[in-house]
Amino acid sequence: LTAEHLYSNGLMQIELNGSGFLVLVEDVAVVCRFEEMSEGGSKQVAHTAATVVSDEVLTCPSPALVVSEDGSFAQVDVIVDGVSVIPEDNRLHVTLLRPPSLVELEPSYGSELGGTSLTVKGAGFIESDDIVCQFGDDFSTPADWISGEAISCVTPTARDEKDFKPNATVTLSYDGGNTFVFSALHFSYKTASSIFRISPSFGPLLGKT
């Protein structure tokens, strides 16, 4: 299992690594089973459809689970035609976290050409190498974790081949850009300045022109 943490609002794409997955695509139902566990035992169970990517990789979206208490985790199993294929002692565990909150962008505007260093401020951010900032529906850039309250990324250009898009919603992904499930903030692009001519184009070495 590639993920160590799951946010409880779901829809994060997780990847399970193993072997022999291709035999599961032959007219059988394959699902991932998520069981929330805590000190008090099992709390809730949810299932999502699995996708066999290759003989070694299987993926599935995480479900929405209520975090009943701090320290809850999800036990992950693979079910084939109603039968568990992972022995109970070997089932995978991931920590369940309440989803982070996005509060503010700093700065909240920048050049239409992109390249603005942006800080996303909020709470509940966990450290990860798979964080991505999404700008509108079309552009995403890699992000860097700074702290539990801040993530940084660089804005992309606001122009595609034809259109200038002056405003963009900004949100985050924790699975490398497969799903963007967190509340959005707003970023404004400003038209870039251009210099066509300087007058005069010469002056004395002593300055004061």
Side-chain angles (χ1 to χ4, degrees), residues 110-176:
S111 169
E112 64 174 325
L113 302 178
T116 300
S117 181
L118 188 68
T119 300
V120 182
K121 295 184 176 182
F125 300 140
I126 59 171
E127 187 172 4
S128 172
D129 294 328
D130 297 321
I131 309 173
V132 170
C133 288
Q134 172 85 358
F135 293 81
D137 297 326
D138 303 317
F139 302 103
S140 61
T141 61
D144 293 317
W145 182 87
I146 300 173
S147 70
E149 293 77 39
I151 286 172
S152 68
C153 54
V154 176
T155 62
T157 179
R159 292 187 179 273
D160 57 20
E161 294 181 355
K162 297 180 180 179
D163 301 320
F164 170 56
K165 300 178 180 180
N167 299 297
T169 56
V170 181
T171 189
L172 296 177
S173 168
Y174 256 88
D175 58 7

Side-chain angles (χ1 to χ4, degrees), residues 86-99:
I86 302 178
E88 186 172 356
D89 292 343
N90 293 330
R91 288 175 190 167
L92 308 165
H93 291 175
V94 288
T95 303
L96 281 175
L97 301 173
R98 293 178 175 86

Side-chain angles (χ1 to χ4, degrees), residues 8-22:
S8 60
N9 54 346
L11 299 181
M12 290 179 65
Q13 195 76 7
I14 68 168
E15 181 179 298
L16 292 89
N17 297 325
S19 61
F21 291 142
L22 285 179

Side-chain angles (χ1 to χ4, degrees), residues 72-114:
S72 293
F73 64 92
Q75 182 175 260
V76 184
D77 192 6
V78 176
I79 309 296
V80 179
D81 271 356
V83 179
S84 169
V85 298
I86 302 178
E88 186 172 356
D89 292 343
N90 293 330
R91 288 175 190 167
L92 308 165
H93 291 175
V94 288
T95 303
L96 281 175
L97 301 173
R98 293 178 175 86
S101 58
L102 277 60
V103 176
E104 180 186 7
L105 295 178
E106 187 178 280
S108 60
Y109 61 89
S111 169
E112 64 174 325
L113 302 178

